[in-house]
Amino acid sequence: MANSQFTHGQPPRIGILLVNLGTPDAPTPAAVRRYLAEFLSDRRVVEIPPMLWKLILHGIILRTRPAKSAKKYASIWTPDGSPLMVWTQRQAQYLRGSLGERLKGQGLPPDLVQVEVGMRYGNPSIASALAKLKAARCDRILLLPMYPQYAASTTATACDAVFKALMQDRSMPALRTIASWHDDPAYIKALAARVNGFWKQHGRPDKLIMSFHGVPKFTLTKGDPYHCLCHKTARLLARELGLTDGQWQLTFQSRFGRAEWLQPYTDATLQALPAQGIKRVHVVCPGFPSDCLETLEEIAIEGKETFLHAGGQSYDYIPALNDHPALIQMLTDLAINHMQGWWQAPPDTTELVAQTARARALGATA
């Protein structure tokens, strides 16, 4: 990361870095291969012994998987690009505007807080986003990973990338990170608003499936809190929706390899439900604030095929929050809460002199 030239006399700003997983630059085998090579080389993501995994990754996976994945990406690609990129950029845009309005209301410059997007894998990189914030004179940076539930393979590796990018920087900014917002009341209410809005238009299902991204089961035994955080999000959402135990179920999607992952599995659950008399299902993904390949292809397309082929009669995927106003408001409040001490306007010179005089007077009378 290149160092920005330090200049005196310019007011500093606060930076917010929204970090998401990432996406290929295009739905092509070559672009997907580059993306997967970076993603699957992360030791936080794949914890197989490095030498063995390198042989598997370069000898098998990167030879066969890119073409298959490219077809899946092509099925959900938009005229503006990858859905994950489109929604994350839009969230940053709306967050920027929301914070500007809040700043103006407190008599502060509306551009005091700058917002940039960095992808853990692919473009725009975290390093490039940090460079933009530094160029905008941000001497305080809040890292906001767009993962409601902390996991080492998502939030922690995003932090790793930020720290690594700043290692070469001579003028280090102050840095704060948000580890998790899985139980934020405003987030739960936003999810419930999305679900209730969908039900108002489409009616209620026999069962609501809450599908979260899966991780290997051994991560739980090693101390990763992700499994517990997902369960808490699901319980809080079910309570907010007023659901009884039989009206909803938590599952985990996106298995990879032969190891056991967190259960119950989403695909196996969808396969089994029709035989249990559950004919109408809705699926929501509370771990994905932005729609992406895993929601739009794996859940909305593959999940539907699995359920209907098994005898189900009706299947719907409830879209992610994306640019829902309740999500933007929640992100605004979340950012402000984590910028305590950074948010207030600094006192002017006259006020500083007055504070010093009051402190000396108190010291003289003590």
Side-chain angles (χ1 to χ4, degrees):
M1 179 178 175
N3 288 305
S4 301
Q5 183 66 39
F6 179 79
T7 55
H8 295 277
Q10 293 183 333
R13 294 189 174 115
I14 302 169
I16 296 179
L17 177 59
L18 290 190
V19 176
N20 218 323
L21 182 73
T23 176
D25 295 324
T28 63
V32 172
R33 185 177 293 107
R34 288 193 300 272
Y35 171 74
L36 289 179
E38 182 182 6
F39 175 41
L40 296 178
S41 295
D42 189 338
R43 295 289 296 130
R44 291 273 199 182
V45 173
V46 180
E47 298 186 47
I48 295 174
M51 293 302 296
L52 173 61
W53 177 242
K54 187 175 182 179
L55 292 173
I56 296 172
L57 177 62
H58 292 278
I60 301 175
I61 294 174
L62 293 181
R63 294 175 182 269
T64 61
R65 191 170 180 182
K68 297 177 182 177
S69 295
K71 291 181 180 179
K72 294 183 178 183
Y73 275 107
S75 71
I76 56 98
W77 211 259
T78 77
D80 295 323
S82 162
L84 178 68
M85 180 67 69
V86 171
W87 289 122
T88 306
Q89 293 284 10
R90 195 168 297 177
Q91 288 162 353
Q93 175 187 351
Y94 291 159
L95 176 59
R96 193 178 296 117
S98 178
L99 286 167
E101 288 298 314
R102 193 75 67 89
L103 286 160
K104 286 171 60 178
Q106 296 190 18
L108 295 168
D111 65 347
L112 173 64
V113 179
Q114 302 290 301
V115 182
E116 293 291 342
V117 169
M119 294 294 176
R120 177 60 185 89
Y121 315 103
N123 298 305
S125 69
I126 286 175
S128 68
L130 286 169
K132 287 183 178 180
L133 293 175
K134 289 279 290 182
R137 304 190 308 276
C138 295
D139 66 348
R140 293 146 291 170
I141 295 176
L142 175 66
L143 171 60
L144 203 172
M146 293 302 287
Y147 311 115
Q149 298 82 21
Y150 171 94
S153 56
T154 53
T155 305
T157 191
C159 293
D160 290 344
V162 170
F163 301 147
K164 182 178 180 180
L166 293 174
M167 283 176 64
Q168 305 301 318
D169 203 347
R170 180 170 296 276
S171 178
M172 289 281 290
L175 186 66
R176 292 179 181 174
T177 63
I178 299 177
S180 181
W181 33 286
H182 65 286
D183 59 353
D184 188 294
Y187 179 60
I188 301 301
K189 288 183 181 298
L191 288 171
R194 172 64 94 190
V195 174
N196 280 323
F198 191 87
W199 285 351
K200 186 175 181 180
Q201 291 184 333
H202 302 277
R204 289 193 171 221
D206 297 332
K207 179 165 283 193
L208 176 67
I209 302 298
M210 302 183 195
S211 182
F212 293 81
H213 177 74
V215 295
K217 184 178 179 181
F218 70 77
T219 62
L220 174 61
T221 59
K222 286 188 174 183
D224 198 308
Y226 177 73
H227 177 266
C228 301
L229 303 185
C230 292
H231 274 271
K232 187 170 185 180
T233 299
R235 289 196 305 271
L236 292 173
L237 177 55
R239 186 173 68 187
E240 187 70 24
L241 292 169
L243 300 178
T244 61
D245 289 345
Q247 294 176 315
W248 67 280
Q249 184 174 349
L250 178 151
T251 61
F252 294 96
Q253 65 189 77
S254 310
R255 300 197 308 280
F256 178 78
R258 298 181 179 180
E260 182 180 359
W261 285 44
L262 296 181
Q263 296 194 41
Y265 300 139
T266 300
D267 55 358
T269 299
L270 294 174
Q271 177 75 32
L273 284 176
Q276 302 170 15
I278 305 298
K279 302 295 185 178
R280 178 175 168 80
V281 158
H282 288 171
V283 183
V284 67
C285 297
F288 295 88
S290 307
D291 273 320
C292 58
L293 183 71
E294 289 190 56
T295 62
L296 298 176
E297 198 282 331
E298 182 179 356
I299 296 299
I301 298 176
E302 291 185 10
K304 183 175 184 178
E305 291 176 357
T306 297
F307 183 71
L308 296 182
H309 184 74
Q313 297 176 356
S314 177
Y315 177 102
D316 286 290
Y317 164 66
I318 300 175
L321 285 169
N322 295 323
D323 61 353
H324 194 291
L327 175 66
I328 304 304
Q329 182 63 46
M330 174 258 155
L331 291 174
T332 303
D333 292 338
L334 183 69
I336 290 173
N337 288 339
H338 282 81
M339 290 189 292
Q340 293 295 322
W342 288 357
W343 183 253
Q344 294 79 8
D348 58 25
T349 304
T350 303
E351 177 59 23
L352 287 174
V353 171
Q355 288 179 5
T356 303
R358 288 194 295 269
R360 287 176 176 171
L362 287 173
T365 58

